[in-house]
């Protein structure tokens, strides 16, 4: 009896992944050819290639490894390291640890959500920002703190957090106008 699920019915993707060039995965399949216990490594390399795990790539991994799509999808959703949606150019990690919490991280988080018009776990429509809550960034002396692409911003207020985001938007706008 076949108990595999239809991943297309289970996944709710925010972006159209029809533009994904699956031929780019060939080196990954060659690298792990004949290694039956390599599903996680294949998923990791695929995510490194695309920045997330496109549904079409998950289906191809199932096909090429002879695994059920349900198994591939199960692995991809079980481990927090895997993303099923594209991320923004700037990944904002909002610390929700104790030191940040008692120093106003909820207000800072609310301001960031308002400024970007997204909730944690989402990406802005322009694909520029992804917002994530994390348990702790290990920068407690800077509380409340966020990290954007590895750079910590501390001692935040709602206004200073909004200014950081606006400055990044302005930098991107200038960069795009210089290129045109």
């Amino acid at each position: 009896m076949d108990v595999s699920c239809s991943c297309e019915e289970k996944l709710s993707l925010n972006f159209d992944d029809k533009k994904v060039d699956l031929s780019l995965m060939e080196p990954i399949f060659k690298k792990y050819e004949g290694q039956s216990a390599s599903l996680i490594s294949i998923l990791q390399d695929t995510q490194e290639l695309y920045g997330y795990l496109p549904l079409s790539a998950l289906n191809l991994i199932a096909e090429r490894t002879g695994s059920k799509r349900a198994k591939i999808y199960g692995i991809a959703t079980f481990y927090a390291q895997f993303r099923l949606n594209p991320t923004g150019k700037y990944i904002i990690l909002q610390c929700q640890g104790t030191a940040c919490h008692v120093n106003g991280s909820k207000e800072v988080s609310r301001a960031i959500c308002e400024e970007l018009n997204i909730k944690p776990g989402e990406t802005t429509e322009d694909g520029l920002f992804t917002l994530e809550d994390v348990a702790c960034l290990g920068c407690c002396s800077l509380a409340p703190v966020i990290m954007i692409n590895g750079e910590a911003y501390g001692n935040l207020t709602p206004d200073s957090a909004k200014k950081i985001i606006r400055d990044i938007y302005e930098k991107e706008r200038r960069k795009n106008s210089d290129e045109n």
Side-chain angles (χ1 to χ4, degrees):
M1 179 165 102
D2 184 11
V3 292
S4 64
C5 75
S6 171
C7 291
E8 291 90 349
E9 294 171 7
K10 302 274 185 206
L11 285 177
S12 171
L13 297 174
N14 295 327
F15 295 85
D16 181 10
D17 84 352
K18 291 179 183 149
K19 299 174 191 123
V20 173
D21 182 357
L22 295 176
S23 69
L24 298 174
M25 293 180 64
E26 285 308 312
I28 296 170
F29 292 123
K30 284 187 174 138
K31 178 179 176 181
Y32 297 104
E33 195 171 0
Q35 297 178 35
S36 61
S38 59
L39 285 177
I40 291 175
S41 297
I42 291 170
L43 290 168
Q44 288 170 328
D45 287 3
T46 301
Q47 181 166 283
E48 187 173 325
L49 175 65
Y50 298 113
Y52 74 111
L53 295 173
L55 179 60
S56 55
L58 293 176
N59 289 335
L60 183 61
I61 291 168
E63 179 185 315
R64 294 290 295 271
T65 63
S67 300
K68 300 270 188 205
R69 288 187 297 172
K71 180 177 182 177
I72 303 299
Y73 176 73
I75 293 169
T77 58
F78 178 78
Y79 293 102
Q81 68 179 297
F82 295 122
R83 295 180 178 274
L84 299 178
N85 290 304
T87 57
K89 181 176 181 179
Y90 296 94
I91 299 174
I92 302 173
L93 304 177
Q94 302 181 118
C95 184
Q96 300 302 327
T98 303
C100 287
H101 178 76
V102 299
N103 284 294
S105 65
K106 281 200 187 300
E107 292 80 14
V108 170
S109 179
R110 192 174 303 116
I112 292 170
C113 289
E114 286 173 12
E115 185 69 23
L116 296 173
N117 197 30
I118 59 173
K119 296 178 279 197
E122 295 179 342
T123 299
T124 56
E125 283 187 28
D126 60 10
L128 204 53
F129 291 96
T130 296
L131 183 61
E132 298 285 345
D133 281 341
V134 295
C136 184
L137 289 171
C139 305
C140 300
S141 65
L142 300 176
V145 64
I146 60 172
M147 191 171 281
I148 303 176
N149 291 2
E151 185 175 342
Y153 297 86
N155 301 309
L156 296 172
T157 64
D159 288 338
S160 67
K162 286 181 176 183
K163 182 179 180 335
I164 291 165
I165 291 166
R166 289 176 186 155
D167 288 349
I168 292 172
Y169 266 125
E170 179 59 25
K171 179 178 102 178
E172 287 295 318
R173 189 193 62 73
R174 279 193 311 261
K175 183 177 154 189
N176 289 335
S177 67
D178 289 347
E179 292 173 359
N180 295 331

